[in-house]
Structure formats: C-alpha cells, structure tokens
Amino acid sequence: MGAGDTQVRRSTIESIQRGVTDLFGLSTVELKEKNRTQAVTVPRQLAIYLSKQMTDASLSEIGRHFGGLHHPSVMHSIAKIDKLRRIDPAMDLIVNKLLKRLKTG
C-alpha cells in the first residue's frame, strides 16, 4: 500500500463527514471540535460509525480525522451507534439513508 491508498481513505472519511454534516446542518469544523452537546455528539458518533463501516481505516486513523480522538472514544462511538440502530428505528433509517447516499456519491 502506497501513499495514494491513504489519500483515498482520507477522502472517503472526509466525504462521510460532509454527508453527515449536510444532513444535520453542521460544519465539518463543528464535527471535529470537542463539543459535547447532543446536537454535535450524535452526528459525530454517526460519522465515526460510518467511517468504520465504509473504509478500511484503523480506529486511530479515524480518531485523527475527528479532532484527535483516542482509540477508546472511537470504539465507544461505534458501539453507541450500533446499539442505537438496534433499539431506535429512526436511527437505523438515518444510517441506511446515509449509507445509500454515500455509496451512490
């Protein structure tokens, strides 16, 4: 794997961030800040979850794209959205909508 492969992954994580911020009316800067309000936390966790599902980026690499989050924080975000998808049909719909939108470009 060369440097070009990493660039592809970063572009994919960035496109996921843009897709999520567009849906929730946030900026990518807000998504990366250490803001803990639910209006920012849930979209951030969703973008992290999608980054793990849709890229081969490591948890550390994903964390770097979200303001330097550490491995446990990334794992927590993924687990949180995974759980929400199982118990909240609205969250599952949002995830599926974003997956479809991001896969089709």
Side-chain angles (χ1 to χ4, degrees), residues 21 25-35 40 44:
T21 56
L26 299 169
S27 71
T28 53
V29 170
E30 288 174 301
L31 204 63
K32 295 176 184 183
E33 290 176 339
K34 296 192 186 315
N35 185 331
V40 176
R44 180 186 306 122

Side-chain angles (χ1 to χ4, degrees), residues 82-100:
D82 190 47
K83 179 180 178 183
L84 282 174
R85 283 189 80 180
R86 289 193 307 267
I87 64 172
D88 183 355
M91 178 57 74
D92 194 48
L93 282 173
I94 290 169
V95 171
N96 288 330
K97 178 180 181 177
L98 280 164
L99 283 167
K100 184 177 179 181

Side-chain angles (χ1 to χ4, degrees), residues 12-101:
T12 303
I13 291 173
E14 290 166 0
S15 68
I16 290 167
Q17 289 172 333
R18 282 191 303 273
V20 171
T21 56
D22 288 350
L23 183 65
F24 287 92
L26 299 169
S27 71
T28 53
V29 170
E30 288 174 301
L31 204 63
K32 295 176 184 183
E33 290 176 339
K34 296 192 186 315
N35 185 331
R36 293 182 186 251
T37 64
Q38 188 171 5
V40 176
T41 301
V42 171
R44 180 186 306 122
Q45 290 174 333
L46 183 55
I48 290 168
Y49 174 85
L50 291 169
S51 294
K52 181 61 179 162
Q53 299 300 315
M54 300 181 76
T55 73
D56 61 351
S58 68
L59 297 178
S60 297
E61 185 176 354
I62 292 169
R64 284 193 298 273
H65 283 274
F66 289 89
L69 293 177
H70 296 286
H71 181 270
S73 297
V74 174
M75 287 178 43
H76 170 77
S77 295
I78 293 165
K80 178 81 173 201
I81 297 300
D82 190 47
K83 179 180 178 183
L84 282 174
R85 283 189 80 180
R86 289 193 307 267
I87 64 172
D88 183 355
M91 178 57 74
D92 194 48
L93 282 173
I94 290 169
V95 171
N96 288 330
K97 178 180 181 177
L98 280 164
L99 283 167
K100 184 177 179 181
R101 182 185 293 178

